[in-house]
Amino acid sequence: KVADTSGVRPEKVTVVSGNEGLKDYSVVAGSFGVKANAEGLKQYLDGQGYNAKVVYNAERNMYRVIASSYDDRAQATQAKEEFKAKYPNRDDFQKAWLLYRVY
C-alpha cells in the first residue's frame, strides 16, 4: 500500500520525549531549534489533555512537537482541523501541519 503523502511533509524523525507509539501521520503543533522550547510546548499540550511528543529531525536540526499521531491520514487531517479550531487565537497553532514519518 502506497502512502498518500500529498499535503503532508515526509520527515525522518526520532522520538526524544513522550511515550513511543509515534504513528505514520502526526499533527505538528510547533517546531523549534531549541529542545527546551519544544519541551515547554509539550508540557503545555500535556496539560491540555494531549499525549504530546517531541521528535527530532536530525537532517533539519529541528524539534517537532506532536500533539497527536494516527495510522490513518484522514483521522490525522481531521485532528489537525480540530486542533486549529480549538485554539483560534494562537497563531502558532493555526500553522499546524501533518508530518508523515519516513524511515
Side-chain angles (χ1 to χ4, degrees), residues 25-29 65-70 76 79-80 83 96-99:
Y25 297 94
S26 296
V27 179
V28 177
V65 182
I66 290 174
S68 52
S69 196
Y70 303 87
K80 180 188 73 172
F83 180 76
W97 50 279
L98 289 184
L99 181 150

Side-chain angles (χ1 to χ4, degrees), residues 27-41:
V27 179
V28 177
S31 297
F32 301 92
V34 178
K35 186 180 179 205
N37 295 345
E39 294 286 355
L41 181 56

Side-chain angles (χ1 to χ4, degrees), residues 7-9 14 19 23-25 28-29 34-35 38 52 54 56 59-60 65 67 69 72 74-76 78 90 92 101:
V8 301
R9 209 180 300 175
T14 52
N19 64 354
K23 298 183 174 141
D24 285 348
Y25 297 94
V28 177
V34 178
K35 186 180 179 205
V54 176
Y56 180 63
E59 197 179 301
R60 294 204 168 88
V65 182
S69 196
D72 178 73
Q75 282 182 315
Q78 185 182 345
R90 286 206 49 164
D92 55 341
R101 188 182 195 186

Side-chain angles (χ1 to χ4, degrees), residues 31-99:
S31 297
F32 301 92
V34 178
K35 186 180 179 205
N37 295 345
E39 294 286 355
L41 181 56
K42 176 193 179 306
Q43 285 180 330
Y44 171 79
L45 290 171
D46 285 344
Q48 293 280 303
Y50 289 91
N51 188 359
K53 301 170 191 17
V54 176
V55 301
Y56 180 63
N57 178 333
E59 197 179 301
R60 294 204 168 88
N61 193 27
M62 288 295 282
Y63 293 91
R64 311 293 192 198
V65 182
I66 290 174
S68 52
S69 196
Y70 303 87
D71 290 319
D72 178 73
R73 181 183 166 160
Q75 282 182 315
T77 302
Q78 185 182 345
K80 180 188 73 172
E81 294 311 319
E82 287 170 2
F83 180 76
K84 288 160 79 165
K86 189 173 173 182
Y87 302 99
N89 301 319
R90 286 206 49 164
D91 287 344
D92 55 341
F93 289 174
Q94 292 305 310
K95 296 187 183 84
W97 50 279
L98 289 184
L99 181 150

